[in-house]
Amino acid sequence: MGGLDRTFPPADTSLVAKREDVLVTLALVRALVASGGARRIRERAGLSLAEVGRACKTDGSTIWRWERGAVPRAEFALRYADALAALVDLGHL
């Protein structure tokens, strides 16, 4: 039979695990944003919207919108998750 190899699971299962990690991270950060937890973490760290925006390669007004219910796109949500995780690691819960 020619064509694509359709074996399952894929030969490189690390790709599947990484994809699952990304999906879990997206779900968690979006839930944290929706609950107001992301804003509390930022405020307890004493950071401005602009400072967090720069860390996420966006602007403060975008962070403001996220903190008030807008859903961050995946690329930016993952950056936001990284920034929030760093703050939590520093004890700004």
Side-chain angles (χ1 to χ4, degrees), residues 34-57:
S35 72
R39 181 180 182 179
R40 283 190 297 278
I41 292 169
R42 177 187 60 77
E43 289 175 340
R44 287 185 184 149
L47 295 173
S48 70
L49 292 165
E51 290 168 326
V52 174
R54 280 192 297 276
C56 296
K57 298 188 187 315

Side-chain angles (χ1 to χ4, degrees), residues 16-87:
V16 174
K18 288 177 187 172
R19 184 172 46 240
E20 288 173 358
D21 289 346
V22 167
L23 293 175
V24 168
T25 300
L26 285 173
L28 290 173
V29 76
R30 288 176 175 163
L32 193 59
V33 168
S35 72
R39 181 180 182 179
R40 283 190 297 278
I41 292 169
R42 177 187 60 77
E43 289 175 340
R44 287 185 184 149
L47 295 173
S48 70
L49 292 165
E51 290 168 326
V52 174
R54 280 192 297 276
C56 296
K57 298 188 187 315
T58 189
D59 56 46
S61 64
T62 299
I63 302 298
W64 183 88
R65 285 192 304 276
W66 294 346
E67 289 182 354
R68 280 149 188 83
V71 177
R73 290 190 338 242
E75 174 186 355
F76 294 103
L78 293 173
R79 290 180 189 159
Y80 197 31
D82 287 343
L84 293 171
L87 294 173

